[in-house]
């Protein structure tokens, strides 16, 4: 028994030793600390100018493996140097412990960082940040732990960047000479949710606060919303949901969906259609996932549906379309990269290319639709009731697809994007600050229905005289308690 204990202890020691060797190998395989990066960069800077001094250091996000800052080491760093005798700056790029490039240029003057004052290196700082604030690795952006160094009030100031326990973007700031924490901030969500706005009234009621509501449908029976329950500044797909309400948002019931929802709508028989990353489902309810009517190998880039529920889906350069609500599908190859596709009630396909060309599919291929004014460049297109709507810098053009005649709709501001909801059409202004309703039956002047201000609007729909506006949070730096 004693021999077994000894063997067990030796085995544990051996395994620990092997793990330490592995960790050391990973960490030393080109990953370096902040101070090690300075030593490498400073040698190059002195060859550039004898009077060169360090101005800033930052680690660079990458996906090269390793510890990703867990040990205070990163593969890639960028350093900037200045010199009192010139207005030029030298940027030194480091990858895997070696200089991968340099660049001379001009930029903001940071001032000198006295290297002798840097007593705390990045491994020390990330350890403190994890102990004091439970700082975790960044996931969606600035992955792992990242580090910066600059001077503030003649003091070397370092930051460790990651996520807090709620996955919010966080930075912990240190005096690199004393190791003292001088600041801790994270970006907190402001706003978000579904807004109820009655036309002709200034009253706004917001529910589902803090959520990223990516889309909304307001139909006769149901109000449907989808998005992310716990969004971050860099992701709205971590905790996806889709819910409906039968009492105008007083209570909500979650629906079943296999993945995050990108689009949803009802057909004329009140069947709910839902598009996810690579699939399209019909007849989803609170008790049923419905029926899968399309499954693709590649991501659905954009999707459109007509009033009579013809559907077109763009994925990997291929257009999949149906005129019988998904019972059978046809395919067409996009002749150029599209960022918008549309399908009419007659099953005609239209696309807006990345080069701002409007193409219509014909029996002989794809024909370009030329604008009545050659100087107008399309920003967005949509098709409703066999009418093509085009927004340009000069206004909104509409073309009857049967008679092929053009008319123009007056609007007070430039509309850059359409939102189509059945027979209803809305338009965003350039910064999303205002939303207009656009008549789809005649050419009367468009009317402003919502001033967004700082609200980030993603979608909207109208039911009777009530606008339902889907919004996502904005993010603002907020101080954390210094432990």
């Amino acid at each position: 028994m004693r021999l077994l204990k000894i063997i067990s202890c030796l085995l544990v020691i051996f395994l620990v030793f092997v793990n330490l060797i592995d960790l050391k190998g990973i960490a030393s395989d080109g990953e370096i600390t902040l101070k090690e990066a300075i030593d490498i960069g400073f040698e190059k800077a002195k060859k550039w100018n004898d009077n060169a001094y360090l101005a800033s250091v930052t680690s660079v996000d990458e996906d090269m493996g390793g510890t990703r800052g867990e040990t205070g080491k990163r593969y890639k760093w960028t350093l900037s140097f200045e010199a009192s005798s010139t207005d030029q700056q030298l940027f030194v790029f480091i990858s895997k412990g070696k200089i991968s490039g340099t660049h001379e240029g001009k930029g903001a003057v940071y001032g000198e960082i006295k290297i002798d004052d840097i007593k705390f290196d990045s491994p020390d700082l990330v350890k403190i940040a994890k102990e004091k604030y439970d700082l975790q690795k960044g996931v969606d952006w600035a992955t792992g732990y990242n580090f910066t160094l600059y001077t503030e009030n003649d003091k070397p100031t370092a930051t460790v960047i990651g996520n807090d326990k709620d996955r919010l973007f966080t930075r912990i700031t240190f005096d690199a000479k004393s190791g003292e924490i001088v600041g801790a901030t994270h970006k907190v969500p402001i706003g978000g949710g579904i807004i109820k706005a009655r036309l002709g009234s200034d009253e706004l009621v917001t529910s589902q606060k803090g959520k990223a509501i990516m889309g909304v449908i307001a139909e006769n029976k149901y109000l449907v919303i989808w998005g992310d329950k716990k969004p971050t500044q860099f992701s709205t797909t971590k905790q996806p949901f889709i819910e409906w309400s039968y009492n105008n948002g007083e209570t909500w019931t979650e629906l079943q969906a296999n993945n995050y929802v990108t689009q949803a709508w009802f057909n004329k028989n009140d069947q709910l259609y839902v598009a996810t990353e690579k699939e399209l489902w019909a007849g989803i309810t609170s008790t049923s996932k419905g029926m899968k009517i399309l499954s693709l190998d590649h991501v659905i880039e954009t999707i459109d549906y007509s009033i009579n529920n013809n559907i077109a889906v763009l994925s990997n350069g291929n257009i999949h379309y149906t005129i019988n609500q998904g019972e059978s599908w046809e395919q067409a190859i996009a002749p150029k990269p599209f960022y918008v596709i549309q399908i009419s009630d007659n099953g005609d396909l239209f696309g807006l290319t990345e080069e701002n060309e409007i193409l219509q599919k014909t029996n002989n291929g794809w024909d370009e639709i030329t604008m009545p004014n050659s100087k107008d460049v399309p920003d967005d297109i949509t098709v409703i009731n066999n009418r093509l709507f085009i927004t340009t810098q000069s206004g909104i053009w509409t073309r009857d697809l049967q008679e092929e005649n053009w008319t123009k709709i007056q609007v007070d501001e430039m509309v850059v994007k359409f939102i189509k909801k059945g027979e209803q059409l809305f338009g965003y202004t350039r910064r999303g600050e205002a939303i207009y309703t656009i008549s789809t039956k005649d050419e009367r002047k468009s009317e402003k229905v919502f001033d967004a201000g700082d609200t980030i609007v993603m979608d909207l729909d109208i039911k009777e005289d009530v606008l339902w506006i889907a919004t996502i949070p904005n993010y603002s730096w907020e101080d954390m308690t210094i432990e």
Side-chain angles (χ1 to χ4, degrees), residues 281-296:
W281 294 75
I284 288 183
T285 68
S286 57
T287 58
S288 171
K289 291 182 180 179
M291 179 177 63
K292 182 163 56 177
I293 61 174
L294 182 66
S295 180
L296 301 174

Side-chain angles (χ1 to χ4, degrees), residues 444-458:
R444 65 176 178 269
K445 182 179 177 181
S446 298
E447 296 181 3
K448 185 188 293 187
V449 292
F450 185 69
D451 277 310
D454 295 331
T455 303
I456 304 176
V457 176
M458 299 303 296

Side-chain angles (χ1 to χ4, degrees), residues 30-85:
E31 285 192 307
I32 58 176
T33 70
L34 183 147
K35 291 184 73 172
E36 289 170 343
I38 292 172
D39 291 340
I40 295 170
F42 207 87
E43 183 178 349
K44 185 71 174 179
K46 283 298 184 181
K47 294 179 181 178
W48 168 68
N49 191 305
D50 287 337
N51 298 320
Y53 59 80
L54 180 65
S56 70
V57 184
T58 180
S59 62
V60 179
D61 196 12
E62 36 74 18
D63 57 0
M64 301 168 68
T67 68
R68 306 293 283 276
E70 180 78 37
T71 61
K73 299 183 178 183
R74 299 288 307 205
Y75 280 122
K76 289 190 173 184
W77 298 82
T78 297
L79 299 86
S80 69
F81 295 89
E82 300 170 352
S84 55
S85 59

Side-chain angles (χ1 to χ4, degrees), residues 144-408:
Y145 296 96
N146 280 276
F147 310 92
T148 68
L149 178 69
Y150 53 94
T151 183
E152 186 172 335
N153 298 324
D154 294 326
K155 293 182 179 180
T157 303
T159 62
V160 182
I161 299 167
N163 286 355
D164 66 9
K165 60 182 176 61
D166 295 319
R167 296 187 295 115
L168 297 178
F169 189 52
T170 302
R171 60 187 183 195
I172 312 300
T173 306
F174 296 84
D175 182 330
K177 183 175 183 179
S178 66
E180 177 187 0
I181 296 175
V182 295
T185 57
H186 56 177
K187 275 201 166 179
V188 299
I190 299 173
I194 185 74
I195 298 176
K196 179 181 179 181
R198 191 171 299 278
L199 295 178
S201 171
D202 295 332
E203 182 181 2
L204 302 176
V205 179
T206 304
S207 58
Q208 303 278 354
K209 293 181 179 180
K211 294 181 180 180
I213 311 298
M214 306 301 292
V216 58
I217 315 167
E219 289 291 328
N220 294 329
K221 293 182 179 180
Y222 293 105
L223 179 67
V224 180
I225 59 173
W226 61 92
D228 194 332
K229 292 180 180 179
K230 287 285 187 179
T232 66
Q233 186 178 8
F234 309 107
S235 175
T236 56
T237 61
K238 294 300 182 182
Q239 294 189 34
F241 76 95
I242 179 170
E243 296 177 348
W244 70 12
S245 171
Y246 60 88
N247 51 16
N248 288 325
E250 293 184 17
T251 58
W252 295 90
T253 301
E254 190 153 359
L255 306 180
Q256 300 185 45
N258 287 344
N259 206 325
Y260 64 89
V261 175
T262 59
Q263 183 62 280
W265 69 93
F266 286 99
N267 67 5
K268 290 187 175 181
N269 297 322
D270 292 328
Q271 279 188 304
L272 179 61
Y273 284 69
V274 170
T276 61
E277 184 182 23
K278 298 180 181 179
E279 297 173 342
L280 185 58
W281 294 75
I284 288 183
T285 68
S286 57
T287 58
S288 171
K289 291 182 180 179
M291 179 177 63
K292 182 163 56 177
I293 61 174
L294 182 66
S295 180
L296 301 174
D297 294 330
H298 299 278
V299 172
I300 294 174
E301 299 165 26
T302 184
I303 190 168
D304 184 51
Y305 55 92
S306 65
I307 293 172
N308 60 350
N309 210 36
N310 295 333
I311 306 169
V313 174
L314 177 65
S315 175
N316 194 37
N318 292 313
I319 301 171
H320 307 260
Y321 62 99
T322 176
I323 58 174
N324 52 24
Q325 304 201 59
E327 291 184 17
S328 61
W329 293 84
E330 301 289 337
Q331 283 195 49
I333 298 175
K336 295 183 178 182
F338 286 163
Y339 73 86
V340 176
I341 58 166
Q342 293 287 296
I343 188 167
S344 72
D345 291 347
N346 293 334
D348 298 319
L349 292 174
F350 301 82
L352 179 61
T353 73
E354 294 179 357
E355 299 171 348
N356 300 101
E357 299 169 314
I358 303 171
L359 303 183
Q360 179 179 1
K361 187 178 183 302
T362 65
N363 293 331
N364 298 322
W366 293 82
D367 292 341
E368 184 176 357
I369 296 176
T370 57
M371 300 289 297
N373 183 345
S374 60
K375 295 182 180 180
D376 278 336
V377 178
D379 284 313
D380 197 11
I381 66 171
T382 194
V383 175
I384 300 177
N385 286 327
N386 289 314
R387 294 180 71 189
L388 173 64
F389 294 82
I390 307 167
T391 181
T392 71
Q393 289 186 353
S394 70
I396 298 173
W397 288 95
T398 178
R399 185 191 198 203
D400 189 301
L401 296 177
Q402 294 177 335
E403 299 179 3
E404 298 187 353
N405 59 316
W406 291 93
T407 53
K408 200 168 187 181

